[in-house]
Coordinates of all heavy atoms in Angstrom, one line a residue:
R278 N 8.3 -10.0 -18.2 CA 7.2 -9.0 -18.0 C 5.9 -9.6 -18.4 O 4.9 -9.4 -17.7 CB 7.6 -7.8 -18.9 CG 6.6 -6.6 -18.6 CD 6.9 -5.4 -19.5 NE 8.1 -4.8 -19.1 CZ 9.3 -4.9 -19.8 NH1 9.3 -5.6 -21.0 NH2 10.3 -4.3 -19.4
L279 N 5.9 -10.4 -19.5 CA 4.6 -11.0 -19.9 C 4.2 -12.0 -18.9 O 3.0 -12.2 -18.6 CB 4.8 -11.6 -21.3 CG 5.0 -10.7 -22.4 CD1 5.3 -11.5 -23.7 CD2 3.7 -9.9 -22.7
E280 N 5.2 -12.8 -18.3 CA 4.8 -13.8 -17.3 C 4.2 -13.1 -16.1 O 3.2 -13.6 -15.6 CB 6.1 -14.6 -16.9 CG 5.9 -15.6 -15.9 CD 7.2 -16.3 -15.5 OE1 8.1 -16.3 -16.3 OE2 7.2 -16.9 -14.4
L281 N 4.8 -12.0 -15.7 CA 4.3 -11.3 -14.5 C 2.9 -10.8 -14.7 O 2.0 -10.8 -13.9 CB 5.3 -10.2 -14.0 CG 4.8 -9.4 -12.9 CD1 4.6 -10.3 -11.6 CD2 5.7 -8.2 -12.6
S282 N 2.7 -10.2 -16.0 CA 1.4 -9.6 -16.3 C 0.3 -10.7 -16.2 O -0.7 -10.4 -15.7 CB 1.5 -9.0 -17.7 OG 0.3 -8.5 -18.1
A283 N 0.6 -11.8 -16.8 CA -0.4 -12.9 -16.7 C -0.6 -13.3 -15.3 O -1.8 -13.6 -14.8 CB 0.1 -14.1 -17.5
F284 N 0.5 -13.4 -14.5 CA 0.3 -13.8 -13.1 C -0.5 -12.8 -12.3 O -1.4 -13.2 -11.5 CB 1.7 -13.8 -12.4 CG 1.7 -14.2 -10.9 CD1 1.7 -15.5 -10.5 CD2 1.7 -13.1 -10.0 CE1 1.7 -15.8 -9.1 CE2 1.7 -13.4 -8.6 CZ 1.6 -14.7 -8.2
L285 N -0.3 -11.5 -12.5 CA -1.1 -10.5 -11.9 C -2.6 -10.6 -12.2 O -3.4 -10.5 -11.3 CB -0.6 -9.1 -12.2 CG 0.8 -8.7 -11.6 CD1 1.2 -7.3 -12.2 CD2 0.7 -8.6 -10.1
E286 N -2.9 -10.7 -13.5 CA -4.3 -10.8 -13.9 C -4.9 -12.0 -13.3 O -6.1 -12.0 -12.8 CB -4.3 -10.9 -15.4 CG -3.9 -9.5 -16.1 CD -3.9 -9.6 -17.6 OE1 -4.1 -10.7 -18.1 OE2 -3.6 -8.6 -18.2
E287 N -4.2 -13.2 -13.3 CA -4.8 -14.4 -12.7 C -5.0 -14.2 -11.2 O -6.0 -14.6 -10.6 CB -3.9 -15.6 -13.0 CG -4.4 -16.9 -12.4 CD -3.4 -18.0 -12.6 OE1 -2.4 -17.8 -13.3 OE2 -3.7 -19.1 -12.1
G288 N -4.0 -13.6 -10.5 CA -4.0 -13.4 -9.1 C -5.2 -12.5 -8.7 O -5.9 -12.8 -7.7
I289 N -5.3 -11.4 -9.4 CA -6.4 -10.5 -9.1 C -7.8 -11.1 -9.3 O -8.7 -11.0 -8.6 CB -6.3 -9.2 -10.0 CG1 -5.1 -8.4 -9.5 CG2 -7.5 -8.3 -9.9 CD1 -5.2 -7.8 -8.2
A290 N -7.9 -11.9 -10.4 CA -9.1 -12.6 -10.7 C -9.5 -13.6 -9.5 O -10.6 -13.6 -9.1 CB -9.0 -13.4 -12.0
I291 N -8.5 -14.3 -9.0 CA -8.7 -15.3 -7.9 C -9.1 -14.5 -6.7 O -10.1 -14.9 -6.0 CB -7.5 -16.1 -7.6 CG1 -7.2 -17.1 -8.8 CG2 -7.6 -16.9 -6.3 CD1 -5.9 -17.8 -8.7
D292 N -8.5 -13.4 -6.4 CA -8.8 -12.5 -5.3 C -10.2 -12.0 -5.3 O -11.0 -12.1 -4.4 CB -7.8 -11.4 -5.2 CG -8.0 -10.5 -4.0 OD1 -8.4 -11.1 -3.0 OD2 -7.6 -9.3 -4.0
K293 N -10.6 -11.6 -6.5 CA -12.0 -11.1 -6.7 C -13.0 -12.2 -6.5 O -14.1 -12.0 -5.8 CB -12.2 -10.5 -8.1 CG -11.4 -9.2 -8.3 CD -11.6 -8.7 -9.7 CE -13.0 -8.2 -10.0 NZ -13.1 -7.6 -11.3
I294 N -12.7 -13.4 -7.0 CA -13.6 -14.5 -6.8 C -13.7 -14.9 -5.3 O -14.8 -15.1 -4.8 CB -13.1 -15.8 -7.6 CG1 -13.3 -15.5 -9.1 CG2 -13.9 -17.0 -7.2 CD1 -12.6 -16.5 -10.0
L295 N -12.6 -14.9 -4.6 CA -12.6 -15.2 -3.2 C -13.5 -14.2 -2.4 O -14.2 -14.6 -1.5 CB -11.2 -15.3 -2.6 CG -10.5 -16.6 -2.8 CD1 -9.0 -16.5 -2.4 CD2 -11.1 -17.7 -2.0
N296 N -13.3 -12.9 -2.8 CA -14.1 -11.9 -2.1 C -15.5 -12.1 -2.4 O -16.4 -11.8 -1.5 CB -13.6 -10.5 -2.5 CG -12.4 -10.0 -1.7 OD1 -12.3 -10.4 -0.5 ND2 -11.5 -9.3 -2.3
A297 N -15.9 -12.5 -3.6 CA -17.3 -12.6 -3.9 C -17.9 -13.8 -3.2 O -19.0 -13.8 -2.7 CB -17.4 -12.8 -5.4
V298 N -17.1 -14.9 -3.1 CA -17.6 -16.1 -2.5 C -17.6 -16.0 -1.0 O -18.6 -16.3 -0.3 CB -16.8 -17.3 -2.9 CG1 -17.2 -18.6 -2.2 CG2 -16.9 -17.6 -4.4

Side-chain angles (χ1 to χ4, degrees):
R278 186 180 293 107
L279 289 172
E280 180 183 338
L281 177 62
S282 178
F284 177 86
L285 288 175
E286 291 175 357
E287 179 182 357
I289 292 293
I291 293 174
D292 186 27
K293 290 177 71 175
I294 291 169
L295 276 172
N296 275 329
V298 173

